[in-house]
Amino acid sequence: MTYMTINTSPTPPEAAVDLIIDQAGKTFPTPRGPVVALAPISLKVTRGSFVALIGPSGCGKSTLLRMVAGLEQPDDGAILIRSKHPEQFRKEGELGIAFQDPALLPWRNVFANVAFPLQILGRPIKPNNEKIRALIDLVGLKGYEDALPSQLSGGMRQRVAIARSLVSDPSVLLLDEPFGALDQILRRQMNLELQRIWAARQTTTLLVTHGIDEAVFLADEVVVMHAKPGRIAEIIKVPFARPRTPDLFSSPEFHALCDTLTAALHGPGAAA
Amino acid sequence: MSGATRENARIVFGVLVVLAIWEFLGSQTSWGVAMFPAPSRILAQAFADRELYWLHGLATVRTATIGFVFGCAAAMLAALLFCLSPSLELAFRGVNIALFAMPAIVVGPLLVLFFNGDWPQTILAALMVYFPAMSATLLGLRQVDPRLADLVAAYGGGETKLMLHVRFRGALPSLFAGFRVAAPLAVLGAVLGEFGSGTRWGFGAFLLSALPQGNPARLWGIGLAASLIALAGYALFLLPARRLAASTSAVTLSAVSPAAIAVSSGGRLRRIAFALVALALPFLLWWLMVTLTKVSPIIAPGPVQTILFLFEGRQASAARHALGLALGQTLPVAALGLLAGLAFAFVLAALSLLAPALARALMPVAMVAQNMPLVAVVPIVTLVFGRGVTASVFMAVLVVFFPAYVLLQQGFTTVPRAASDLVATYGGGRLKNLVFVAVPYSIGHLFAAARLVAPQALLGVMVAEWLLTGTGLGNLLNVSRGGLDYDMIWAGALISILISVAAYEAVGLIERKVVRR
């Protein structure tokens, strides 16, 4: 087991860095005075890695993700994705995103929902027909292309959202608790599928999650955050070889690392 | 399946029973013959009058349809602009509320001064359609799932893409719900306009000529026919609205005023500036209207001249006296009607919570009745209550009751199940549930109802005064119109619109005090 804090995290010189967060913080004004959602933090994510952000509610993990997507502006500091500002980066269609809520357009069928980002980016849909079908197939929804969201189950809708997040061939994928609303059984299943999808593309991925086992199963690195104010407490490397199989969930090493993570979440300085 | 069939059979049976009782009382009792003529007599009379119905009906339907199209077009354009620029909405707040709260009957005689032919009643129909259609469209455009907005932003899309792909389609159910509410209002606007325009054809003219004839069957026929036309407009948009709602997730016509969203933003100074602009804009438009149309200032005075009419010159004190007298007659009746109608609606909504079977029976009736044009009840009111103050009060109560009941009932049904279950868990009955859960939960709906119907109460009383009682503000305007006393028409219209807006704003003020504790 290796512990690495943010300052000593060694980046192999040959691996390119996809995401640089440099002293970015966020404070929200409220009627009872300003609340520090995120103290200025720094983080580097290397190309092709899978990083999970985990922490209690109010630790600013979603705020961090939204800042990377350019949906929130940091008060100070800077965020660079492949040495571009988020607003510029996302305009080039290099960003894929999925939220806790699938946020599907209720009047569009599965195919049209997956194609939606292409329309926003102003790209043609016809030449991408095959790719869209392949993505729907990838998330296991073959045959449901013409179904409306209201005809799908919660898990199926979430898989549509995952397919949609991949349609623009993003180089960076942001997932904000995409399985948070699913039950435990479905969640495991989706974890396996996400790993399969990710392995097929090796897209740099940032995953916000509440689930300790989900983070350990999926990530190369788990960033543990604490609340009040939101900050990075620790970064834990996950050494397990890929591809990871469901057997891993029951291995002692897996449980040991989950326990370490739990301890880090409740560690000194963590808010009760 | 069989449950629905049985329910339908029960409804049909109930309707048949009511019709049979009506037929019996309306033909066998002397008061029944005078007040509730039997359905068979009404039908026979309508058949004898069929040519009149055709001519008058065609005129009203044409006026209402053209007015509806114009009003909706203006409403959609305005909603789009307000959605893109909330500042613009703030600036137009005064115009919007004035259009919503104006007692339509006072506007008809003013429009006659500027337009001729069918245009006055057509424009009045458009004006009545504008506010409900605009606020529903605006609500639909604004009601965007924040996650969808994030999604569009995450792919670099701006407001244009959001509007194109999300807002327009998402607003459709709301838009159609707005059309549904607006269609009967177009009929009402057309008929009210026909009262003031002196037109030969139209249900307004038909009703004016039938009122003194003392033929109950014909009066009932006119009221029922006008209601049928209005309800046909409502039904026309019912099906598409339902279909769209099903494919757009649950979207309902919200009871909150759309203006409230924008008011809270910005600094104090900015807010005051916008309030002043909103206040000044209706008067500016009035001034522009009379200046640009080049109508003689004697016929169409500007705002300054109208205010001076009440405070300077030889006739000022006489005019103030006449207006004061009229207001003294109208306002107490309107207030009484408003309070009685609201109280009645509240009690009945509460009772239907205690006895759900009552709500099931009453709700469909109220849903239909709230869309009946209020002129359609004039015949019934005059046959039952004569031409005294009682008729005015009842008219206001009738106008207030149905929309208030529907809103309150909807408020009671929004109470979360868990809250009611909690009361039940601790042994509380329906009464405890009502007092501790249902009423506090639906307080917003109560205020929304009051705000919505307060201007309606004034309109109801003024219509009764104009057509029946010959007292108060409604009569003053009718008499001034006949006597070509233009200054008085304008002053009376101004005063009644101001009172209406003040009542609307006052309810809003109390609401903010109570709800935001």
Side-chain angles (χ1 to χ4, degrees):
Chain A
M1 212 82 39
T2 42
Y3 275 29
M4 312 228 171
T5 61
I6 182 79
N7 297 321
T8 56
S9 175
T11 314
E14 69 274 17
V17 178
D18 257 8
L19 173 65
I20 299 175
I21 299 168
D22 182 27
Q23 290 296 308
K26 183 82 187 169
T27 304
F28 289 110
T30 69
R32 283 181 295 169
V35 168
V36 181
L38 204 58
I41 61 156
S42 298
L43 182 72
K44 278 181 187 172
V45 177
T46 51
R47 180 160 301 174
S49 66
F50 195 123
V51 174
L53 300 175
I54 194 167
S57 326
C59 72
K61 53 191 192 296
S62 280
T63 306
L64 182 60
L65 191 100
R66 290 175 63 81
M67 289 200 303
V68 174
L71 297 170
E72 307 269 3
Q73 302 305 316
D75 297 328
D76 36 37
I79 293 175
L80 290 176
I81 319 178
R82 296 212 171 165
S83 44
K84 285 176 188 151
H85 285 288
E87 288 84 358
Q88 191 191 354
F89 187 72
R90 68 190 191 187
K91 272 207 179 93
E92 291 164 11
E94 296 287 322
L95 202 64
I97 195 161
F99 307 103
Q100 177 171 11
D101 185 289
L104 303 178
L105 295 169
W107 50 85
R108 288 186 175 214
N109 63 22
V110 167
F111 185 91
N113 260 300
V114 173
F116 186 40
L118 298 177
Q119 274 183 298
I120 306 172
L121 292 164
R123 293 185 194 167
I125 294 185
K126 267 240 169 79
N128 288 302
N129 268 350
E130 278 316 301
K131 187 169 79 184
I132 295 167
R133 287 190 192 287
L135 276 172
I136 294 172
D137 194 12
L138 184 72
V139 296
L141 287 177
K142 199 183 178 86
Y144 287 95
E145 285 85 353
D146 296 324
L148 288 174
S150 58
Q151 298 165 318
L152 302 177
S153 71
M156 289 159 96
R157 277 179 227 163
Q158 204 57 57
R159 280 185 275 175
V160 177
I162 300 282
R164 183 183 60 192
S165 69
L166 296 168
V167 76
S168 63
D169 283 321
S171 50
V172 175
L173 187 60
L174 305 176
L175 305 172
D176 188 359
E177 292 187 50
F179 313 129
L182 305 185
D183 63 66
Q184 184 68 21
I185 298 167
L186 201 55
R187 207 177 162 133
R188 281 258 158 114
Q189 215 177 318
M190 293 296 293
N191 286 164
L192 283 168
E193 285 193 50
L194 180 60
Q195 198 211 196
R196 182 170 58 81
I197 295 165
W198 177 82
R201 301 175 156 245
Q202 292 274 321
T203 310
T204 310
T205 304
L206 207 56
L207 168 80
V208 165
T209 178
H210 270 132
I212 292 170
D213 57 345
E214 181 171 281
V216 172
F217 183 76
L218 286 170
D220 299 316
E221 252 176 43
V222 180
V223 177
V224 179
M225 298 181 71
H226 284 175
K228 292 179 192 171
R231 62 195 187 279
I232 293 177
E234 222 173 302
I235 295 179
I236 297 175
K237 288 245 181 225
V238 182
F240 306 125
R242 292 186 189 271
R244 298 171 186 167
T245 56
D247 306 340
L248 185 64
F249 281 120
S250 42
S251 78
E253 294 83 7
F254 182 82
H255 285 287
L257 192 54
C258 285
D259 290 345
T260 314
L261 239 161
T262 310
L265 277 167
H266 296 280
Chain B
M1 197 61 189
S2 70
T5 327
R6 204 178 303 146
E7 183 77 23
N8 284 341
R10 206 175 292 154
I11 290 171
V12 171
F13 181 69
V15 169
L16 286 177
V17 167
V18 169
L19 280 177
I21 295 173
W22 183 1
E23 180 73 36
F24 175 76
L25 293 177
S27 57
Q28 302 303 319
T29 63
S30 60
W31 54 270
V33 171
M35 292 182 194
F36 302 102
S40 59
R41 266 184 64 207
I42 297 174
L43 281 177
Q45 181 69 46
F47 185 73
D49 290 342
R50 59 188 180 280
E51 249 174 78
L52 285 175
Y53 275 98
W54 175 249
L55 288 169
H56 289 302
L58 207 64
T60 296
V61 167
R62 195 179 52 222
T63 306
T65 308
I66 299 172
F68 178 80
V69 171
F70 277 114
C72 286
M76 287 191 285
L77 184 68
L80 183 63
L81 292 175
F82 293 157
C83 178
L84 292 174
S85 159
S87 306
L88 198 67
E89 194 210 349
L90 280 181
F92 270 86
R93 187 161 184 271
V95 175
N96 285 338
I97 291 177
L99 281 176
F100 165 69
M102 63 174 193
I105 197 160
V106 310
V107 183
L110 301 183
L111 291 169
V112 174
L113 306 177
F114 296 98
F115 308 97
N116 42 33
D118 284 341
W119 284 109
Q121 51 265 41
T122 308
I123 291 171
L124 189 61
L127 288 179
M128 292 209 66
V129 162
Y130 166 81
F131 186 84
M134 184 279 291
S135 51
T137 313
L138 185 58
L139 189 79
L141 287 175
R142 287 224 172 113
Q143 240 173 13
V144 165
D145 184 343
R147 294 287 176 180
L148 284 176
D150 279 351
L151 183 75
V152 172
Y155 289 98
E159 178 54 45
T160 321
K161 297 267 180 190
L162 189 65
M163 186 66 88
L164 215 60
H165 293 299
V166 183
R167 284 195 200 275
F168 279 153
R169 179 57 180 81
L172 280 186
S174 200
L175 182 76
F176 272 83
F179 285 168
R180 204 176 60 195
V181 176
L185 286 175
V187 178
L188 175 61
V191 174
L192 288 177
E194 285 157 3
F195 286 156
S197 77
T199 178
R200 173 117 173 65
W201 300 113
F203 268 99
F206 198 10
L207 187 59
L208 275 181
S209 67
L211 270 176
Q213 289 170 352
N215 183 345
R218 176 179 280 173
L219 281 177
W220 270 82
I222 296 172
L224 290 176
S227 303
L228 269 182
I229 295 176
L231 292 175
Y234 178 87
L236 191 65
F237 293 105
L238 195 62
L239 207 65
R242 282 221 179 127
R243 278 221 161 149
L244 280 166
S247 64
T248 320
S249 79
V251 181
T252 47
L253 195 57
S254 162
V256 283
S257 73
I261 304 161
V263 171
S264 53
S265 66
R268 195 190 164 85
L269 211 65
R270 214 178 96 96
R271 280 216 301 275
I272 294 173
F274 271 116
L276 287 177
V277 171
L279 192 67
L281 204 56
F283 291 95
L284 190 72
L285 288 177
W286 175 5
W287 178 79
L288 274 176
M289 176 94 177
V290 296
T291 314
L292 294 180
T293 51
K294 300 213 171 65
V295 176
S296 155
I298 296 169
I299 295 176
V304 179
Q305 203 184 332
T306 298
I307 292 165
L308 285 182
F309 163 72
L310 289 174
F311 293 103
E312 266 182 26
R314 283 180 296 116
Q315 304 162 328
S317 71
R320 281 207 304 273
H321 182 73
L323 267 172
L325 203 67
L327 284 175
Q329 288 168 335
T330 302
L331 290 185
V333 175
L336 182 65
L338 174 64
L339 289 179
L342 276 175
F344 191 39
F346 186 82
V347 168
L348 220 60
L351 272 181
S352 43
L353 198 70
L354 300 181
L358 184 70
R360 271 201 300 279
L362 203 62
M363 196 58 179
V365 180
M367 288 290 273
V368 172
Q370 70 162 345
N371 288 297
M372 265 171 37
L374 83 136
V375 285
V377 298
V378 168
I380 303 149
V381 169
T382 173
L383 288 172
V384 179
F385 295 96
R387 289 169 170 256
V389 177
T390 337
S392 296
V393 175
F394 193 74
M395 189 85 170
V397 170
L398 218 55
V399 172
V400 165
F401 170 74
F402 288 109
Y405 173 77
V406 170
L407 255 178
L408 283 173
Q409 183 64 34
Q410 281 168 353
F412 283 150
T413 51
T414 56
V415 174
R417 179 74 181 271
S420 304
D421 285 351
L422 187 72
V423 175
T425 311
Y426 289 102
R430 286 172 176 175
L431 192 65
K432 285 236 165 71
N433 185 31
L434 178 73
V435 173
F436 292 114
V437 178
V439 171
Y441 256 107
S442 51
I443 198 89
H445 280 77
L446 181 64
F447 278 110
R451 211 171 46 208
L452 236 101
V453 296
Q456 299 298 311
L458 187 61
L459 175 64
V461 172
M462 285 178 73
V463 168
E465 288 171 343
W466 177 297
L467 293 176
L468 304 176
T469 69
T471 57
L473 203 54
N475 182 57
L476 180 68
L477 284 166
N478 195 16
V479 170
S480 312
R481 187 179 66 92
L484 304 181
D485 187 354
Y486 296 113
D487 280 318
M488 187 53 101
I489 301 178
W490 284 91
L494 174 66
I495 297 279
S496 50
I497 292 173
L498 283 180
I499 289 172
S500 229
V501 170
Y504 176 90
E505 291 286 333
V507 177
L509 203 71
I510 301 170
E511 179 181 6
R512 280 197 286 279
K513 279 263 155 64
V514 172
V515 177
R516 203 189 284 167
R517 226 169 337 187

